[in-house]
Amino acid sequence: MSASCCDACLRRGYLVGLLAGRIAGLLDRPGCRPGGLLALEDAELAMAVGGEGTDEAIDFLGRFEPRRARADLRHAEVAAICRHHDGYPALLRDLGDPPATLFCCGRVELLAAVDEEPAVTIVGTRDASPYGLDVAHDLARGLAAAGVTTVSGMALGIDAAAHRGALGARGATVAVLAGGPDVAYPRRHRDLHRQIRESGLVVSELPPGQRPYRWSFPARNRLMAALARMTIVVEAGESSGTLITAEVAQDLGRILAAVPGRVTARVAAGSNRLLREGAPVIRGASDALDELFGVGAHVPVPLSPADVDPLQRRLLDAVEAGLDVDAICEFAGVPVNEGRAALARLETRGLVRRDGLFGWEPARTRR
C-alpha cells in the first residue's frame, strides 16, 4: 500500500508530523486555524514554524529516507496515498491546502469511492443530548442502508454515534483523525477505532504514531467537509468547533444542512442558527437523500416492523391509532422527550412520518 505515495509527498507528510509540535506553538489557541500555513512549500513551512528547530527541519528534508519510512508504514499496517495517485480523492483538491499525503488504515478504496458516490459528513457536539445521539445514529444507519458512506471524526458524542450507526447497518464509514491513523483518540474509542479499521477507513494527514494537537482538530475538520458532498450538523452550540466544519463546507460549495434541536437547548443553538440562516432541515435519512439526489430519487431501505423493540412497537400501535404525541407517549409509558426521540428513530427507519408539525402517521401499511 505504501507504494501508492511518491517520495516527495511522503517526505511532506512526515515533515508535517515533525513540525506538528512547533505548529502547535503558533496555533494551539482557541479559535486558531491552520489557515494558509499548510499550503506552504516544504522549505517555506520549515522556515515559518521551525523557530529554533528550523535547521533541524531543513536537515530533515535532505536526509529523509523514503525506503525506511515505507518499512515503518508496513510495520504499522498503514497505507500512504499521495495527491499524484489515482486513489487520492479529487474532492480534496477543492481545498486551498490539500494534504500531500493521506495516511490510512482500513479499506483504502473508500477514498476513491467518495468521488464516485456522494458521501455525507455527520458532525456535532461532544456533549450531545440523548436525542442528538439517537438522531445521529439512525441518520447514519439509514444512509448506510441506502449505500451512502458516512464521514465523521470519531470524537465523543455525535461523531461516534454516527460511526456506530453506519457500522450497525454494515455500511461504509470513514473516520478522519486529528492524530495518526493508528492512534485511537479518544482512548475510550479504541474498540470503535478497531471496528472502523476492520470494515471502514481511518484517515489522517499526520503519520502513524502522531498524537493530536489542538490545531490538528480544525485541520482535520476541513478534510471532513471536503470529502463529502453534504455536511449535516446534528447538534452544535454557538461556540462549537463543529461550526468550523460547517463553514468550510459552505466555502467549498457543499450542501450544508442541520437537524432541528430544542430552541431552548444551548447544545443546539449553533445548529438551529444554521437552520434559521437557510440550511436545509434534516429529519432523517430520507431528507438527506432528497437533498443529495433529488426528491424521491434515492430511497433508504426501510426496516420491517418485525425488527423493532417492544417500546417502538407500542409507539407504532399508538401512531396507527391516530393519537397525538402526548397520548402516544402516555400509551407507550415513556416521558414525552424519550417518546419523541424514539419516534425520530422510527422515522429514519421508514416506519413513521410526520403529519404537520406535531403529529405522526404510519409511513406504510403494516403487515
Side-chain angles (χ1 to χ4, degrees), residues 32 46-47 49 59 88 91 136 152 186 197 241 260 271 297 323 325 332 334:
C32 286
M47 294 294 292
V49 303
D59 181 59
Y88 188 91
L91 288 170
S152 199
R197 286 185 66 160
S271 45
L323 303 177
V325 172
V334 294

Side-chain angles (χ1 to χ4, degrees), residues 238-279:
E238 282 289 5
S239 59
S240 174
T242 296
L243 298 181
I244 295 175
T245 311
E247 183 178 329
V248 175
Q250 281 188 311
D251 290 344
L252 293 174
R254 308 292 196 254
I255 301 170
L256 174 62
V259 171
R262 290 180 58 188
V263 296
T264 57
R266 290 184 180 179
V267 75
S271 45
N272 283 340
R273 175 173 58 79
L274 294 177
L275 295 173
R276 187 185 67 209
E277 293 172 353

Side-chain angles (χ1 to χ4, degrees), residues 63-85:
R63 61 179 173 79
F64 178 72
E65 300 179 16
R67 182 176 299 178
R68 181 174 179 178
R70 291 193 171 91
D72 291 342
L73 289 173
R74 286 192 295 271
H75 183 264
E77 298 183 338
V78 172
I81 307 294
C82 83
R83 57 191 169 191
H84 302 116
H85 188 264

Side-chain angles (χ1 to χ4, degrees), residues 110 114 117-123 136-145 147-153 158-167 171-176 196 200-201 224 227-228 230 232:
L110 290 180
V114 299
E117 291 290 338
V120 172
T121 291
I122 300 176
V123 289
H137 179 278
D138 290 329
L139 179 57
R141 181 185 176 93
L143 290 171
V148 176
T149 298
T150 293
V151 178
S152 199
I158 297 300
D159 288 22
H163 288 306
R164 292 188 175 108
L167 291 170
T173 189
V174 177
V176 186
I196 298 174
L201 176 67
M224 289 194 295
L227 281 171
M230 179 180 189
I232 301 174

Side-chain angles (χ1 to χ4, degrees), residues 311 314-315 328-336 338-339:
L311 167 60
R314 293 196 301 273
L315 289 168
I328 289 172
C329 296
E330 182 179 357
F331 179 88
V334 294
V336 173
E338 184 178 338

